[in-house]
């Protein structure tokens, strides 16, 4: 460093001894901080990766609806502008089936949408229950599901005579929601378990 020539420069590749020591100390300090952060991270409960922003949930819902529209099946004669999309969870033969992305016309009554699903799945829209001394009818019904998981509790059955547009306006469910397709009313033994 103390060279008599003013224009002297350190040769390329040669390090300043003071800078080398400070870089080494800096990298050691950084490594120690990273180790401490990793040990704290494992001791603390997991935190969400990012905070939700005000419009984030709406954007996620719109993205899910766009994906649903790409894979949905239904009556091709329904105009694009009249289509409403849902994810339907069939619960018909008491076996867990995969959810089915579908679309219907918003002008269809709920009963017609249910019959369309019954035809697509190949199940009868009404079934007879043989009980002890009487026979009861169960009809296929659509019930809105409250949560996003498959164990969420269904709401009340949608009225078969109401149009899907009317149900959407009432707020029974929203486009893109999950609906449960099942026979209603439930068998008496199922009612005893639920109450």
């Amino acid at each position: 460093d103390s060279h008599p020539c003013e224009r002297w420069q350190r040769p390329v590749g040669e390090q300043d001894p003071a800078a080398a020591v400070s870089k080494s100390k800096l990298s050691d300090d950084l490594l120690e901080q990273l180790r401490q952060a990793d040990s704290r991270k494992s001791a603390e409960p997991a935190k969400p990766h990012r905070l939700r922003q005000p419009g984030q949930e709406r954007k996620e819902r719109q993205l899910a609806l766009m994906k649903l529209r790409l894979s949905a099946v239904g009556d091709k004669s329904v105009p694009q502008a009249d289509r409403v999309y849902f994810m339907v969870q069939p619960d018909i033969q008491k076996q867990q089936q995969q959810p089915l992305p579908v679309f219907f016309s918003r002008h269809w009554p709920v009963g017609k949408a249910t019959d369309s699903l019954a035809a697509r799945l190949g199940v009868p829209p009404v079934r007879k229950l043989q009980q002890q001394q009487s026979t009861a009818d169960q009809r296929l019904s659509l019930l809105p599901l409250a949560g996003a998981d498959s164990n969420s509790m269904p709401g009340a059955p949608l009225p078969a005579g109401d149009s899907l547009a009317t149900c959407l306006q009432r707020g029974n469910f929203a486009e893109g929601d999950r609906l449960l397709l099942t026979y209603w009313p439930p068998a008496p033994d199922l009612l005893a378990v639920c109450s």
Side-chain angles (χ1 to χ4, degrees):
D1 283 318
S2 58
H3 194 273
C5 182
E6 291 177 20
R7 300 176 114 200
W8 181 83
Q9 294 179 346
R10 187 171 309 282
V12 176
E14 185 180 318
Q15 289 187 345
D16 180 15
V21 170
S22 66
K23 281 183 183 178
S24 170
K25 184 172 177 1
L26 180 64
S27 63
D28 289 344
D29 289 345
L30 282 174
L31 284 173
E32 184 59 33
Q33 288 176 355
L34 287 172
R35 283 188 201 112
Q36 288 176 356
D38 284 343
S39 66
R40 271 184 276 153
K41 198 181 268 187
S42 63
E44 293 176 7
K47 294 180 183 176
H49 291 278
R50 58 190 162 113
L51 295 176
R52 286 203 124 152
Q53 296 176 356
Q56 187 70 23
E57 187 174 325
R58 194 175 124 240
K59 287 178 186 176
E60 288 172 1
R61 189 170 176 81
Q62 286 176 338
L63 182 62
L65 184 58
M66 285 175 20
K67 288 179 182 178
L68 181 65
R69 286 179 175 158
L70 293 175
S71 60
V73 295
D75 185 354
K76 302 293 184 202
S77 66
V78 175
Q80 287 281 343
D82 289 344
R83 293 180 182 182
V84 287
Y85 297 82
F86 303 103
M87 184 66 75
V88 175
Q89 176 68 50
D91 182 30
I92 300 163
Q93 282 93 16
K94 296 301 173 203
Q95 48 185 304
Q96 194 68 3
Q97 297 176 345
Q98 290 291 79
L100 179 68
V102 297
F103 65 86
F104 308 111
S105 170
R106 70 178 59 255
H107 305 295
W108 284 4
V110 172
K112 181 173 181 178
T114 305
D115 291 343
S116 170
L117 277 171
R120 183 169 295 283
L121 297 171
V123 296
V126 178
R127 75 174 176 187
K128 301 262 185 217
L129 278 183
Q130 295 295 332
Q131 295 173 355
Q132 293 168 0
Q133 275 105 16
S134 66
T135 303
D137 286 345
Q138 285 185 312
R139 298 193 176 279
L140 270 180
S141 298
L142 285 172
L143 293 81
L145 288 172
D149 63 343
S150 60
N151 297 325
S152 56
M153 292 300 295
L158 299 174
D162 289 356
S163 72
L164 289 169
T166 303
C167 293
L168 286 167
Q169 286 173 346
R170 259 195 240 128
N172 294 10
F173 55 88
E175 186 173 8
D177 277 359
R178 290 180 51 245
L179 301 175
L180 177 69
L181 178 70
T182 189
Y183 286 103
W184 195 263
D189 57 334
L190 182 62
L191 284 176
V193 171
C194 292
S195 39

